[in-house]
Amino acid sequence: MNLTVKIGKMVMKNPVTTASGTFGYGQEYAEFVDLNCLGAVTVKGISREPRQGNTPPRIFETPCGMLNSIGLQNVGLEAFLKEKLPYLRGFDTNVIVNILGGTIKEYIELAEALDGRVDAIELNVSCPNVKKGGILFSSDEAIFRELIREVRKNVVNSTLIVKLSPSASSILSQARICEEEGADAISMINTIPAMAIDIESRRPRLSNIIGGLSGPAIRPIGVRMVWEVHKTVRIPIIGMGGIMTAGDALEYILAGATAVAIGTANFVDPTTTMKVLKGIEDYMRNHEIEDFSSLIGGLIWDREGR
Amino acid sequence: MNLTVKIGKMVMKNPVTTASGTFGYGQEYAEFVDLNCLGAVTVKGISREPRQGNTPPRIFETPCGMLNSIGLQNVGLEAFLKEKLPYLRGFDTNVIVNILGGTIKEYIELAEALDGRVDAIELNVSCPNVKKGGILFSSDEAIFRELIREVRKNVVNSTLIVKLSPSASSILSQARICEEEGADAISMINTIPAMAIDIESRRPRLSNIIGGLSGPAIRPIGVRMVWEVHKTVRIPIIGMGGIMTAGDALEYILAGATAVAIGTANFVDPTTTMKVLKGIEDYMRNHEIEDFSSLIGGLIWDREGR
Amino acid sequence: MSRLNRAEVLNNIPLTDREFILRLKLPPGSLSPMPGQFYLLRATNTFDPLLRRPFSAFRWSDEWVDFLISEKGKGTLVLKSLRPGDEIDLLGPAGNYFPPPSGDMKLLVVAGGIGIASVFSILREYNGDSVLFYGARSSDALLIRKDIEDFSGEVVLCTDDGSIGFKGSVVERLRLYINERTPEKAIVYACGPEAMITALKTYMKETGLRGYISLEERMACGVGACMGCVKNTSEGMKRVCIEGPVFPVEVL
Amino acid sequence: MSRLNRAEVLNNIPLTDREFILRLKLPPGSLSPMPGQFYLLRATNTFDPLLRRPFSAFRWSDEWVDFLISEKGKGTLVLKSLRPGDEIDLLGPAGNYFPPPSGDMKLLVVAGGIGIASVFSILREYNGDSVLFYGARSSDALLIRKDIEDFSGEVVLCTDDGSIGFKGSVVERLRLYINERTPEKAIVYACGPEAMITALKTYMKETGLRGYISLEERMACGVGACMGCVKNTSEGMKRVCIEGPVFPVEVL
Ligand SMILES: Cc1cc2nc3c(=O)[nH]c(=O)nc-3n(C[C@H](O)[C@H](O)[C@H](O)COP(=O)(O)OP(=O)(O)OC[C@H]3O[C@@H](n4cnc5c(N)ncnc54)[C@H](O)[C@@H]3O)c2cc1C
Ligand SMILES: Cc1cc2nc3c(=O)[nH]c(=O)nc-3n(C[C@H](O)[C@H](O)[C@H](O)COP(=O)(O)OP(=O)(O)OC[C@H]3O[C@@H](n4cnc5c(N)ncnc54)[C@H](O)[C@@H]3O)c2cc1C
Ligand SMILES: Cc1cc2nc3c(=O)[nH]c(=O)nc-3n(C[C@H](O)[C@H](O)[C@H](O)COP(=O)(O)O)c2cc1C
Ligand SMILES: Cc1cc2nc3c(=O)[nH]c(=O)nc-3n(C[C@H](O)[C@H](O)[C@H](O)COP(=O)(O)O)c2cc1C
Ligand code: FES
Ligand code: FES
């Protein structure tokens, strides 16, 4: 049975990775998961400088989902390279580093510093552009394109992944821009902006008011978006959003994902990644599938309906 | 205690209505709910001609939500006026009629035929425009504007509500267009395009492949959108999306909704509308609130956080 | 009497690893179901599972109703874990029913798998000379064997693997039966998996055999409002929850 | 020994309408908790509720651990309905703990409401001359009265309505106590609702009284990965699930 997949230059021994921000820097879950068994570890978003993140409360549970407004608290580039990366390098797995910046320059500096030292760089574009008055990089197509183009120039040895936000005005044209600007892959979906209110205090449940919705609630939205993007571009997709089981992962894969990332599910069951991997193997065995890649985009459909 | 709200010309004795497509033509629920107690009954989307809708299967349950691709099966305008409306007119409640067409002309004809005979007309803009090659009315702002402008000319005696789709490229600019073109109110949110796959057959769960996601899963998204739109326009909002309890309804109200619509919850518990109404009354009593309207948009927040 | 009630679990008896019989107490004065009618059950306060699930009335008295249920997914798993004293939401009886036979008809009751839950009550509730054709994968998937032994009429068991009774499908066996006996006034009442229904429909249309088939479709409202549960029939889209679940074979 | 286990419910005893004591069987060879540590519990297969919920180890032996739980919402409702023989997911022990006192310290254990669950074990596990200050709304909200009677040290009860003990908050009462006795080497161990914590913090900072407070914050992962459960301290953002739940009063 061959589970190997390729995302740009990065060869993954299996299609299972973690979603940025839900698996810490790997170490936090090493007690529950043999990191050697993962196709890749994707770490919490890294910024140039360390960040404190938003004021608590930062999380709130909603039906079959959760809101978070962590505000990208992280140790910063330097500490990551010194303290976190060496640990991960001790395992036989790929390291994907999610990066974020407030300016294109910050992104470039991060990309330069990481290029060649990590297997892949994942661009988190759901950040406010401080130079452009705080609008999101993902909400203006011209800036979005410029960001990818500039970062691409600086990512020569690592694989470049762009993480798309489901709240982008058009996820399809963003996917096309990624392909045109030479990104190696797309990862999707990021959380969906959402909100909850404490009716007793009349205040938002999160101090940031709006947070990102993740978890099984959003899975059907993620699967639909992956399917649409898969029909639109040829670069590989890392699918995520509410994957709790191998069956959920296979939905993403049949819709067109080459690899899958486990996010919120790590919180619910820290061993989810391993269960998903085993479940995919079982499915392939039961269906007598030798090569994992034959499943990618394997949805059977026709325009008349099913 | 005063629960009266005004949506355009329509005075509702309380802020609770039903979401189009989830309450049939009212009659189906009369066994469980005293329709006289509702602020309004919103009926299934009506088209000029009767429609058969999509091939089954049309529904599928997802975590805390459901997909539907009913495809707007309905009895058509004539049968609605002859068979369904007289029944509803027997109750002391408002009737809101959700309409849909494949061309602007169809919308206008529907609006003309219903104007003055029903209390409000709700424009469902999530329909494909057959003249423009099937693109959605909601996905092109120029057509969206034209649609509202033309329908507005023909809705003189009834209240005109425009129902926004959460998958619109920008819900805020659509809301602004509604206000500019003189719509009396906005209702939101419609279902979110989504998809599920049967991994055994490798086929979509719905014969239409993509369906609309509704239910508690989407509530935090709906509340966020209502809050954003409430900050943007001054016309009233009918809030909906995953309201299961009075607490959920109050979240929408504090976020800025003047009235609320119960959708998928009717399927889960046919008496939800009455429970929501009673729960709002209890909340007002407990918090010594005399006038319902003082709750609308009553979220306490500041830019620094909560 | 409202069709919407809270009902107490009286007992919940496992038959196999997956199948069980759930007995609910009916509120005093409840409507009794007719053969083929169903109820919509909801057993949790959470929203996962979200929607009510439909189950045929398998057996009933004035005081209780039994459901014969096969575990498929989340909804049925919750039902399986209910214990006496638990309370659940019950909506029903819902849908139409198998029309009672007229006069001296021969009742050919055809059940595949868990479909037995929908048609079994016909044997008790409707008078007439009845034959039960009941098929399953293998002998241990044939449920309620004791009740079947107690039934005084003719019983024809079929299994795919031949571990008991006829080796093959109930529809094949029905064909043999009809070919042998050519009953004059026969009427079919059937429920079962899709493959069985398809074969049965074809056979009945070929031979002009008349009767009724109970269909399944996913449901949201169960009261005719959502248009979710439709089947395409020769008379247009029909809601399984209102115009069904029982359809005359002619329209299918 | 993994910190992630399936655990059997041994019993589940209601104390009031809302409060109950849930006893889980610990897998053989499990780590024992320390006072102030907690476990993350998850009792369903569905995704509503979704996340594990944190609860302090209230009492334990080598074989079992007791949780003293107050019903708040969906998660605790599920836990309340567990019955002996049920199995649930258990992750822990988690977090840091109340540092044991050194030498001849006077232990001032301060609990408000359900906060008793977190600090009660100190009375048993740590040696020293202990006083328990335990406050609640009214006498019937004071839990585990029998256990408290059995405790050989000094107990000071407080109620908001004066229905038993001191009328007023535990922090007021603590102040009176300290003013009267001015214990030389005292250390506070506290857990309770936000208002109590705020008052206590202010008082301790004013007087230089030293000690530790256990804090609550909503948690997602419980293992330090999500950065969801942080509190802003004088040493920066600290994760309650890893660097907490117990913090020295100086950093708060
Ligand atoms: C009118 C009517 C009467 C019914 N009577 C009975 C009855 O008496 N006893 C009984 O056991 N069931 C009966 N059913 C079927 C029953 O409603 C479903 O099996 C149940 O709703 C499944 O719910 P779930 O949450 O366990 O499964 P889900 O989580 O919804 O589905 C789990 C998996 O099982 C598959 N599945 C779901 N439903 C079916 C089905 N009907 N057939 C085959 N695969 C399915 C799904 O595709 C999915 O892969 C009836 C259905 C209808 C419409
Ligand atoms: C380290 C730690 C130890 C804890 N130990 C215990 C313990 O031993 N016993 C115990 O009963 N609880 C304890 N808690 C609190 C417990 O975790 C929560 O009460 C529980 O998670 C609520 O879950 P729920 O699903 O029932 O409520 P939810 O559905 O999440 O919330 C329901 C309502 O209750 C409110 N609420 C939720 N949590 C709290 C809270 N902590 N205080 C006040 N209101 C709240 C919410 O704002 C909401 O309005 C502890 C918490 C932490 C962080
Ligand atoms: C607590 C939390 C923190 C996250 N942090 C990041 C982040 O730093 N960078 C990023 O690109 N995505 C971040 N995400 C988004 C996830 O990587 C993922 O895209 C999203 O949660 C959807 O997947 P899920 O539903 O499986 O969690 C975060 C999500 C959560 C829940
Ligand atoms: C089965 C079903 C049918 C629907 N039909 C319509 C419709 O005809 N017209 C319309 O504008 N919205 C329709 N909707 C959308 C609802 O009115 C509502 O906007 C949406 O379901 C969100 O609310 P909810 O989560 O409370 O269901 C339908 C929704 C469902 C579930
Ligand atoms: S289930 Fe809604 S119409 Fe039948
Ligand atoms: S709960 Fe995730 S870091 Fe503490």
Side-chain angles (χ1 to χ4, degrees):
Chain A
M1 210 154 57
N2 178 12
L3 281 155
T4 312
V5 295
K6 244 188 112 186
I7 304 282
K9 287 189 251 319
M10 177 175 65
V11 178
M12 290 166 67
K13 71 177 88 157
N14 67 57
V16 180
T17 183
T18 58
S20 175
T22 66
F23 206 69
Y25 301 102
Q27 202 157 2
E28 292 85 346
Y29 280 95
E31 178 186 353
F32 309 107
V33 173
D34 179 356
L35 303 184
N36 294 304
C37 295
L38 286 168
V41 171
T42 308
V43 302
K44 176 76 193 152
I46 302 290
S47 51
R48 211 175 46 185
E49 315 301 332
R51 286 210 196 193
Q52 280 280 312
N54 289 323
T55 313
R58 293 177 171 185
I59 51 179
F60 187 72
E61 184 169 318
T62 65
C64 288
M66 63 174 281
L67 303 179
N68 90 77
S69 62
I70 306 303
L72 306 166
Q73 175 174 358
N74 78 90
V75 297
L77 177 65
E78 202 183 307
F80 172 74
L81 289 174
K82 225 170 18 210
E83 294 156 25
K84 307 292 179 182
L85 187 58
Y87 174 81
L88 283 171
R89 278 293 170 229
F91 295 89
D92 175 25
T93 190
N94 293 294
V95 177
I96 304 178
V97 178
N98 182 277
I99 62 169
L100 52 110
T103 58
I104 293 186
K105 185 154 166 285
E106 259 175 70
Y107 276 104
I108 292 176
E109 287 178 31
L110 282 158
E112 270 182 332
L114 291 163
D115 187 37
R117 301 172 83 168
V118 301
D119 302 285
I121 295 172
E122 180 182 55
L123 231 59
N124 180 352
V125 295
S126 318
C127 307
N129 183 334
V130 291
K131 281 225 173 147
K132 299 272 172 178
I135 73 146
L136 304 183
F137 282 97
S138 58
S139 69
D140 179 317
E141 292 192 352
I143 298 174
F144 178 80
R145 185 185 290 277
E146 189 188 341
L147 174 64
I148 296 166
R149 181 176 299 168
E150 294 306 317
V151 172
R152 174 76 280 185
K153 285 187 198 150
N154 292 281
V155 177
V156 183
N157 299 305
S158 300
T159 290
L160 178 63
I161 304 166
V162 180
K163 183 155 179 184
L164 297 185
S165 164
S167 57
S169 54
S170 167
I171 207 155
L172 291 187
S173 62
Q174 293 210 340
R176 267 188 226 105
I177 293 171
C178 291
E179 185 168 52
E180 284 160 17
E181 297 302 335
D184 294 307
I186 286 166
S187 60
M188 61 191 292
I189 59 175
N190 213 319
T191 56
I192 304 179
M195 171 175 180
I197 297 171
D198 180 348
I199 62 166
E200 294 305 321
S201 69
R202 297 203 195 174
R203 289 180 177 277
R205 289 286 192 176
L206 302 179
S207 80
N208 192 51
I209 307 177
I210 290 179
L213 181 63
S214 65
I218 70 170
R219 188 176 64 241
I221 302 173
V223 172
R224 186 260 302 174
M225 288 184 161
V226 165
W227 186 61
E228 289 178 339
V229 167
H230 175 69
K231 289 189 299 172
T232 307
V233 298
R234 295 170 158 272
I235 51 179
I237 300 167
I238 304 177
M240 71 192 82
I243 296 176
M244 309 304 284
T245 66
D248 301 344
L250 286 159
E251 287 196 50
Y252 273 96
I253 291 158
L254 292 169
T258 295
V260 289
I262 311 303
T264 302
N266 292 307
F267 307 157
V268 177
D269 177 355
T271 63
T272 305
T273 45
M274 292 300 103
K275 288 183 180 157
V276 166
L277 178 57
K278 181 169 177 310
I280 293 174
E281 287 168 354
D282 290 345
Y283 178 89
M284 288 174 64
R285 211 169 289 119
N286 293 341
H287 291 75
E288 297 178 5
I289 290 159
E290 243 320 293
D291 192 1
F292 172 80
S293 59
S294 69
L295 285 172
I296 299 166
L299 182 73
I300 303 172
W301 60 287
D302 52 58
R303 301 210 169 263
E304 319 298 303
R306 305 203 306 171
Chain B
M1 209 154 61
N2 179 14
L3 281 155
T4 312
V5 295
K6 245 188 111 188
I7 303 283
K9 287 188 254 316
M10 179 175 63
V11 177
M12 291 167 67
K13 71 178 88 159
N14 67 58
V16 180
T17 184
T18 57
S20 176
T22 67
F23 207 68
Y25 302 103
Q27 203 158 1
E28 293 85 347
Y29 279 94
E31 178 186 352
F32 308 107
V33 174
D34 179 356
L35 303 184
N36 295 302
C37 295
L38 286 168
V41 172
T42 308
V43 301
K44 174 76 192 155
I46 303 290
S47 52
R48 212 175 44 184
E49 316 301 333
R51 286 210 195 194
Q52 280 281 310
N54 290 324
T55 313
R58 293 177 171 186
I59 52 180
F60 187 72
E61 185 169 318
T62 64
C64 288
M66 62 174 281
L67 304 179
N68 90 79
S69 63
I70 307 301
L72 306 166
Q73 176 174 358
N74 77 92
V75 296
L77 177 64
E78 202 184 309
F80 173 73
L81 289 174
K82 227 173 13 210
E83 292 157 25
K84 305 294 179 184
L85 187 57
Y87 173 81
L88 282 171
R89 278 296 170 225
F91 295 90
D92 175 25
T93 190
N94 292 294
V95 177
I96 304 177
V97 178
N98 183 276
I99 64 170
L100 54 109
T103 58
I104 293 187
K105 185 153 165 285
E106 260 176 70
Y107 276 105
I108 292 177
E109 286 179 29
L110 282 159
E112 271 183 332
L114 291 163
D115 187 36
R117 301 173 81 169
V118 301
D119 302 285
I121 294 171
E122 182 182 55
L123 231 61
N124 180 351
V125 296
S126 318
C127 308
N129 182 335
V130 291
K131 281 224 171 148
K132 299 270 172 182
I135 72 145
L136 304 183
F137 282 97
S138 59
S139 70
D140 179 317
E141 291 192 355
I143 297 174
F144 178 80
R145 186 185 289 277
E146 190 188 342
L147 174 64
I148 295 166
R149 182 176 298 167
E150 294 306 317
V151 172
R152 174 77 280 185
K153 286 186 197 150
N154 293 281
V155 176
V156 182
N157 299 304
S158 299
T159 290
L160 179 63
I161 304 165
V162 180
K163 182 153 178 185
L164 297 184
S165 165
S167 57
S169 53
S170 165
I171 207 155
L172 291 187
S173 60
Q174 294 211 339
R176 269 189 224 103
I177 293 172
C178 291
E179 185 169 51
E180 284 160 18
E181 298 301 335
D184 295 307
I186 285 166
S187 62
M188 60 193 288
I189 61 174
N190 213 320
T191 56
I192 304 179
M195 174 175 178
I197 296 171
D198 180 348
I199 62 167
E200 293 306 320
S201 67
R202 296 201 195 176
R203 290 181 175 276
R205 290 287 192 175
L206 301 179
S207 80
N208 192 53
I209 308 176
I210 290 179
L213 181 63
S214 65
I218 69 169
R219 186 175 65 241
I221 302 173
V223 172
R224 186 261 301 172
M225 288 184 161
V226 164
W227 186 62
E228 289 178 339
V229 168
H230 175 69
K231 288 190 299 172
T232 306
V233 298
R234 293 167 161 273
I235 51 178
I237 300 167
I238 304 177
M240 72 192 83
I243 297 177
M244 308 304 283
T245 66
D248 301 345
L250 286 159
E251 286 197 49
Y252 272 97
I253 291 158
L254 291 170
T258 296
V260 289
I262 311 303
T264 300
N266 292 306
F267 308 156
V268 177
D269 177 355
T271 64
T272 305
T273 44
M274 292 301 102
K275 287 181 181 157
V276 167
L277 178 57
K278 183 170 176 308
I280 293 175
E281 287 167 354
D282 290 346
Y283 178 89
M284 287 174 65
R285 211 169 290 120
N286 293 341
H287 290 75
E288 297 178 6
I289 289 159
E290 244 320 294
D291 192 1
F292 172 80
S293 60
S294 69
L295 285 171
I296 300 166
L299 182 74
I300 303 172
W301 60 284
D302 53 57
R303 303 215 166 262
E304 319 298 303
R306 303 204 307 173
Chain C
M1 195 57 221
S2 168
R3 291 196 302 142
L4 185 65
N5 293 292
R6 292 287 291 171
E8 188 189 326
V9 174
L10 292 176
N11 55 53
N12 196 0
I13 298 167
L15 298 183
T16 69
D17 267 11
R18 309 201 136 260
E19 279 83 18
F20 54 98
I21 295 187
L22 175 67
R23 176 165 296 182
L24 299 182
K25 186 172 170 175
L26 284 174
S30 294
L31 288 172
S32 273
M34 292 284 285
Q37 283 197 300
F38 64 94
Y39 288 81
L40 293 132
L41 273 57
R42 181 170 154 77
T44 57
N45 291 314
T46 79
F47 299 128
D48 182 35
L50 180 68
L51 300 169
R52 288 159 186 279
R53 300 288 195 266
F55 300 94
S56 305
F58 166 59
R59 207 161 42 189
W60 56 87
S61 77
D62 288 349
E63 275 106 49
W64 48 260
V65 55
D66 271 353
F67 299 95
L68 173 59
I69 300 178
S70 175
E71 184 193 333
K72 297 277 177 193
K74 283 182 172 180
T76 45
L77 183 65
V78 174
L79 295 173
K80 196 175 160 196
S81 63
L82 290 173
R83 284 176 272 192
D86 288 345
E87 278 213 337
I88 78 166
D89 263 17
L90 184 66
L91 170 55
N96 68 357
Y97 48 87
F98 289 107
S102 57
D104 53 349
M105 289 238 171
K106 189 157 193 95
L107 279 53
L108 306 172
V109 176
V110 183
I114 197 71
I116 190 73
S118 158
V119 295
F120 190 68
S121 59
I122 292 172
L123 303 177
R124 198 185 69 171
E125 301 285 321
Y126 291 165
N127 295 320
D129 176 16
S130 318
V131 192
L132 172 66
F133 296 85
Y134 177 25
R137 264 172 298 106
S138 71
S139 76
D140 38 277
L142 286 169
L143 305 169
I144 56 160
R145 297 284 282 277
K146 175 82 179 60
D147 304 66
I148 287 171
E149 270 167 34
D150 291 350
F151 168 58
S152 61
E154 200 180 341
V155 175
V156 181
L157 300 180
C158 312
T159 50
D160 295 344
D161 64 0
S163 51
I164 199 172
F166 175 75
K167 182 170 197 257
S169 82
V170 274
V171 181
E172 286 172 59
R173 188 61 187 78
L174 177 69
R175 182 195 302 267
L176 292 178
Y177 182 92
I178 302 242
N179 290 350
E180 269 169 31
R181 319 247 185 132
T182 52
E184 256 175 59
K185 297 174 78 182
I187 182 159
V188 170
Y189 294 113
C191 185
E194 237 177 84
M196 174 195 123
I197 300 297
T198 312
L200 184 62
K201 248 170 31 189
T202 312
Y203 171 62
M204 288 174 76
K205 290 192 174 170
E206 261 170 42
T207 56
L209 190 60
R210 304 219 11 213
Y212 298 89
I213 302 183
S214 176
L215 299 183
E216 283 191 11
E217 191 53 73
R218 290 181 181 275
M219 292 186 181
C221 70
V223 301
C226 74
M227 308 288 155
C229 66
V230 301
K231 289 283 186 191
N232 205 347
T233 73
S234 63
E235 297 171 349
M237 293 291 183
K238 294 285 177 196
R239 292 163 299 181
V240 172
C241 71
I242 291 282
E243 287 106 10
V246 175
F247 294 91
V249 73
E250 305 89 75
V251 310
L252 298 179
Chain D
M1 196 56 221
S2 168
R3 291 196 302 142
L4 184 64
N5 291 293
R6 293 288 289 172
E8 188 189 327
V9 174
L10 293 176
N11 54 52
N12 196 1
I13 297 167
L15 298 184
T16 68
D17 267 11
R18 309 201 135 261
E19 279 82 18
F20 55 97
I21 295 187
L22 175 69
R23 176 166 297 183
L24 299 182
K25 187 171 171 175
L26 285 173
S30 294
L31 287 173
S32 273
M34 290 287 283
Q37 282 196 302
F38 64 94
Y39 287 81
L40 293 132
L41 272 57
R42 180 171 155 76
T44 58
N45 291 315
T46 79
F47 299 129
D48 181 36
L50 180 69
L51 300 169
R52 288 159 187 280
R53 300 287 194 268
F55 300 95
S56 304
F58 165 60
R59 210 162 42 190
W60 56 88
S61 77
D62 288 349
E63 275 107 50
W64 47 260
V65 56
D66 272 352
F67 299 95
L68 172 59
I69 300 178
S70 175
E71 183 195 333
K72 297 276 178 196
K74 283 184 171 177
T76 45
L77 183 65
V78 173
L79 295 172
K80 196 177 160 194
S81 64
L82 290 173
R83 284 177 273 192
D86 288 344
E87 279 214 335
I88 78 167
D89 263 17
L90 185 66
L91 170 55
N96 68 357
Y97 48 86
F98 289 108
S102 57
D104 51 352
M105 288 239 172
K106 188 157 194 92
L107 278 52
L108 305 171
V109 176
V110 183
I114 197 72
I116 189 74
S118 158
V119 295
F120 190 71
S121 60
I122 292 172
L123 304 177
R124 197 186 72 173
E125 301 285 320
Y126 291 166
N127 297 321
D129 176 15
S130 318
V131 192
L132 172 66
F133 296 84
Y134 177 24
R137 264 174 299 108
S138 71
S139 76
D140 37 276
L142 286 169
L143 304 169
I144 56 160
R145 299 282 281 277
K146 174 83 180 60
D147 303 65
I148 288 171
E149 271 166 33
D150 292 351
F151 167 59
S152 62
E154 198 180 344
V155 175
V156 181
L157 299 180
C158 313
T159 51
D160 295 345
D161 63 1
S163 51
I164 200 173
F166 175 75
K167 183 171 195 267
S169 82
V170 274
V171 181
E172 286 171 59
R173 187 61 187 76
L174 177 68
R175 182 196 303 266
L176 292 178
Y177 182 94
I178 302 242
N179 290 350
E180 270 168 29
R181 321 246 184 132
T182 53
E184 254 176 63
K185 297 176 75 184
I187 182 158
V188 171
Y189 294 113
C191 184
E194 236 178 86
M196 173 194 125
I197 300 297
T198 312
L200 183 62
K201 244 168 38 186
T202 313
Y203 171 63
M204 288 174 73
K205 289 190 174 170
E206 261 169 44
T207 57
L209 190 61
R210 303 223 8 216
Y212 299 89
I213 302 183
S214 175
L215 299 184
E216 283 191 11
E217 190 55 72
R218 289 181 182 276
M219 292 186 183
C221 70
V223 300
C226 74
M227 308 289 154
C229 65
V230 300
K231 289 282 186 191
N232 205 347
T233 74
S234 64
E235 296 171 351
M237 293 289 183
K238 293 285 176 194
R239 292 164 299 183
V240 172
C241 71
I242 292 282
E243 286 107 11
V246 175
F247 293 91
V249 72
E250 306 89 72
V251 310
L252 297 180

